Amino acid sequence: MKRILLLLTLLAVVGGAVGAAPNVLFLVVDDLRPKLNCYGESNMVTPNIDNLAARSVLFDNAYVQQALCSPSRTSFLTGRRPDSTRTFDLETYFRKVAGNFTTLPQHFKDNGYLTWSVGKIYHPGEKASGFDDNAYSWSFPAYHAPTMEYRNANVCRNSDGTLHNNAQCPVDVKQMPGQSLPDIQIADTALQFLRNRSQDKHPFFLGVGFHKPHLPFKFPQDYLKLYPLSKVHLAPNPYTPPWTPPVALTPWTGLRAFDDIRSLNLTPPFQPIPNDYQLLLRQSYSAAVSYTDYQVGRVLHALDQYGLTNNTIVSFLGDHGWQLGEHNEWCKQTNYDIATRIPMLIHIPGVTSPRAAAAGVVAFPLFDALSGTKTVRNQVPHPCVSELCRQEPGPQATTTDALVEAVDLYATLSELVGLEVPPLCPHDPFNVTFCTEGTSLVPVIRHVITRSRTEGGGSDDDVPARGGMTSSRVAEKVAAAWKPAVFSQYPRPSDQIQSNSPNPLLADIRVMGYTMKTAQHRYTEWVAFDPSTFLSNFSHVHALELYVHSDDFDENVNVAYQPVFKDLVQSLSRQLRAGWRGALPKPLL
């Protein structure tokens, strides 16, 4: 009982559990859907992310606000939703069209933190983010890997020996320009920063953004060995959902731009990719994820190496999901669950896991799936016990099924380190520089951790275990008491499929699809949009979608127009139109 009371005291002031001025390691992975071992994908080899998950709270129902890089990142970096950032494409910079908002890293910088972006945190480029928002968000100019210059170079070798710019692109790293790849250089640079910080006690906010598994699937070719083609399967639902309005779909033009896809001579918009090439793409996506897992592991391991583990909060997320043939769709750029749902983890030393020094625990060994070894601090690598260097049997993540959103991270990380938590934005947020349209997840973290230990009987010195939650009873209590719905959106130039349907520029947007995920449903309304005023017109509904997850978890049949669901559609429509303000969470008891 004494230990439980001590835990409750720690959780009452979560930031205090990691010491004064805790650091933040902010990890973002491009195009990463929850295709990870820790999310139940048992065929995936992701030991380093799984190990982080075992020392974190894992959010099983986390969603982004738009399934496209720049709008999604702008949203979680400003703590505001796309209608408030007015960022719906890859060209718009929020400070020019919406307001001079205080960003998440800027908030830390303004409060004495060293802040730095390594890799892809903002969507890069002057138009998309004003040179990574350097003047406001970062203490030093953002770092981008020199080898990004060759991201679309003809370095992918076909069977005849010719070189092309292919979507499916396993490579020999030693033969690449600069004899490296961007994510390797990003990890190298992050390690150098952490090594320097071990000698400088100044608190830091380090954003590290990895590019893979973003297209092209360019990765060290040895990672294909982890996924024999004989064990790779097609998507279970590789067909366009019945009764789906064309506005909901995309012709995946981004994938078609690559040489290998062009050579298939597919008839747009929806001629399927041949099955054998679908398998190669799915294999390469998995291999690219495992390659990124190792780079993530290198950065996490550096926390142990340089004595930073006990005072560093780690957040990890994908910027949106990715479709691998489900619904005959590829890439992101839809409102389907598989495009909007992301992996999201938050690790708090001393709260979600024991303090490494106090418990004699090595928090972040480096797992190398290719060599089958594990490195602990500066020791010589030694063989892993388990097959393919997966995480050895042991505790699993403490999981919550609560509906949460990437826009919640701003308030969450602020509260965890003891900074001022931005207030809720007013209805007219454009002249308010410091506010949020998300909600701090600290109450969820506190609730899940305490419930998992009191109801599961776990020791305070144990990493919280999924089994200790038993898992669904506690998770369901949190889910039922938190947000009743989460919200995403996607723009279209027209009701019909066009070449720019996936990525319309702001001036071309005429339809906005607002989608709402509840515990049992996904409901979407496609409505008229005026790009000159940034306003949507809900009196002009172009199309509806409704998927009933109890019978159709994969969202394969749109039932919005079936008479039996008329009353449900009306009820969900009212809830959708009330928006995120109508779905603010209740206090957790």
Side-chain angles (χ1 to χ4, degrees):
M1 177 60 71
K2 180 184 289 188
R3 301 174 97 178
I4 294 296
L5 290 174
L6 175 60
L7 175 66
L8 291 171
T9 301
L10 287 173
L11 290 167
V13 282
V14 180
V18 294
N23 308 308
V24 173
L25 176 59
F26 189 75
L27 297 169
V28 184
V29 180
D30 212 343
D31 286 10
L32 181 64
R33 65 195 245 179
K35 191 174 173 62
L36 301 165
N37 188 279
C38 57
Y39 272 86
E41 296 273 356
S42 59
N43 63 315
M44 291 299 297
V45 185
T46 52
N48 295 289
I49 298 172
D50 297 342
N51 180 56
L52 173 63
R55 289 164 167 78
S56 303
V57 169
L58 182 151
F59 296 90
D60 201 34
N61 281 313
Y63 291 85
V64 295
Q65 280 43 79
Q66 187 177 321
L68 187 65
C69 296
S70 186
S72 175
R73 290 164 184 262
T74 298
S75 177
F76 62 68
L77 288 167
T78 61
R80 308 188 192 211
R81 297 165 193 270
D83 277 346
S84 292
T85 66
R86 293 176 170 173
T87 301
F88 311 109
D89 61 16
L90 300 179
E91 299 294 321
T92 302
Y93 180 32
F94 72 92
R95 293 192 192 273
K96 293 183 178 179
V97 297
N100 201 30
F101 307 148
T102 301
T103 68
L104 171 60
Q106 182 182 359
H107 184 38
F108 277 72
K109 179 184 174 184
D110 290 347
N111 282 276
Y113 276 72
L114 289 177
T115 61
W116 198 29
S117 170
V118 177
K120 185 176 179 180
I121 299 299
Y122 286 95
H123 191 277
E126 180 181 5
K127 289 183 179 179
S129 55
F131 292 113
D132 300 278
D133 203 48
N134 277 327
Y136 300 92
S137 290
W138 310 114
S139 303
F140 319 104
Y143 169 85
H144 293 288
T147 52
M148 280 299 291
E149 177 183 350
Y150 310 105
R151 61 188 178 278
N152 291 317
N154 292 334
V155 297
C156 314
R157 192 173 299 278
N158 282 359
S159 57
D160 62 2
T162 57
L163 297 176
H164 298 270
N165 176 26
N166 291 341
Q168 194 257 348
C169 188
V171 298
D172 180 346
V173 176
K174 292 182 180 179
Q175 295 181 6
M176 292 298 98
Q179 296 186 325
S180 190
L181 292 174
D183 286 339
I184 296 173
Q185 294 181 317
I186 288 166
D188 288 345
T189 303
L191 264 61
Q192 182 178 358
F193 176 90
L194 294 173
R195 182 170 56 248
N196 293 339
R197 296 284 69 75
S198 67
Q199 305 300 320
D200 175 8
K201 300 308 179 183
H202 211 91
F204 64 79
F205 179 104
L206 175 63
V208 182
F210 292 108
H211 292 274
K212 299 305 146 187
H214 191 287
L215 285 170
F217 299 145
K218 188 185 300 180
F219 54 87
Q221 58 196 9
D222 286 350
Y223 282 92
L224 287 175
K225 299 175 184 177
L226 301 177
Y227 303 96
L229 204 54
S230 61
K231 295 185 178 181
V232 178
H233 303 287
L234 296 172
N237 54 341
Y239 46 81
T240 301
W243 304 296
T244 298
V247 70
L249 303 172
T250 168
W252 28 279
T253 52
L255 182 64
R256 296 176 190 274
F258 291 93
D259 294 347
D260 53 342
I261 306 301
R262 283 207 306 266
S263 71
L264 299 174
N265 295 315
L266 303 174
T267 301
F270 296 130
Q271 182 182 354
I273 295 173
N275 286 352
D276 59 345
Y277 215 81
Q278 287 194 45
L279 292 174
L280 288 175
L281 291 171
R282 289 173 66 89
Q283 177 196 38
S284 290
Y285 182 93
S286 296
V289 170
S290 290
Y291 159 58
T292 296
D293 174 82
Y294 182 69
Q295 306 310 319
V296 169
R298 293 178 62 207
V299 176
L300 292 171
H301 183 54
L303 297 178
D304 274 355
Q305 285 181 295
Y306 304 125
L308 297 167
T309 301
N310 284 339
N311 202 43
T312 302
I313 293 168
V314 181
S315 71
F316 174 94
L317 76 158
D319 65 345
H320 42 67
W322 217 83
Q323 297 156 136
L324 287 164
E326 296 86 0
H327 304 133
N328 191 28
E329 288 283 355
W330 297 83
C331 307
K332 49 261 189 181
Q333 299 140 329
T334 73
N335 277 328
Y336 287 120
D337 208 80
I338 205 161
T340 56
R341 180 171 171 251
I342 58 167
M344 193 163 85
L345 312 170
I346 295 180
H347 163 80
I348 311 166
V351 174
T352 63
S353 69
R355 288 175 176 269
V361 173
V362 176
F364 300 117
L366 176 60
F367 297 92
D368 185 343
L370 292 180
S371 64
T373 60
K374 179 177 79 172
T375 302
V376 178
R377 293 195 178 96
N378 296 315
Q379 298 176 10
V380 175
H382 61 274
C384 287
V385 174
S386 52
E387 181 186 6
L388 290 177
C389 201
R390 298 180 192 270
Q391 183 188 343
E392 287 95 334
Q396 299 298 306
T398 297
T399 302
T400 173
D401 287 344
L403 289 166
V404 302
E405 301 170 278
V407 75
D408 296 331
L409 281 172
Y410 192 145
T412 303
L413 293 174
S414 297
E415 183 169 358
L416 286 176
V417 303
L419 296 184
E420 180 184 359
V421 178
L424 202 67
C425 289
H427 287 272
D428 182 3
F430 301 106
N431 294 319
V432 181
T433 59
F434 185 63
C435 69
T436 184
E437 295 173 346
T439 308
S440 173
L441 299 175
V442 168
V444 176
I445 296 170
R446 179 186 300 120
H447 192 83
V448 173
I449 293 292
T450 54
R451 289 283 190 172
S452 68
R453 299 190 182 190
T454 56
E455 295 192 9
S459 164
D460 291 354
D461 295 328
D462 294 333
V463 179
R466 181 175 297 181
M469 297 175 61
T470 55
S471 114
S472 61
R473 281 194 304 118
V474 174
E476 286 172 1
K477 289 179 182 178
V478 177
W482 198 242
K483 295 182 181 181
V486 291
F487 300 84
S488 307
Q489 62 191 95
Y490 208 87
R492 295 285 189 235
S494 167
D495 288 333
Q496 302 304 316
I497 300 295
Q498 298 180 187
S499 61
N500 66 335
S501 289
N503 295 325
L505 296 177
L506 174 61
D508 296 329
I509 298 171
R510 294 296 179 272
V511 186
M512 187 67 72
Y514 291 92
T515 189
M516 177 179 69
K517 158 70 177 171
T518 70
Q520 296 296 327
H521 307 102
R522 175 170 295 283
Y523 177 72
T524 305
E525 293 188 2
W526 295 89
V527 303
F529 180 83
D530 185 342
S532 65
T533 61
F534 299 95
L535 295 178
S536 297
N537 182 0
F538 277 86
S539 65
H540 187 182
V541 177
H542 290 233
L544 303 176
E545 293 176 81
L546 171 61
Y547 304 97
V548 180
H549 285 171
S550 58
D551 299 321
D552 182 20
F553 185 79
D554 292 329
E555 302 180 347
N556 292 331
V557 181
N558 175 26
V559 298
Y561 296 101
Q562 295 185 16
V564 68
F565 293 104
K566 179 180 178 181
D567 290 344
L568 177 60
V569 166
Q570 291 177 347
S571 174
L572 291 173
S573 178
R574 288 191 295 270
Q575 187 177 1
L576 174 71
R577 294 177 184 213
W580 63 270
R581 293 183 190 275
L584 292 174
K586 307 170 186 176
L588 291 174
L589 301 179

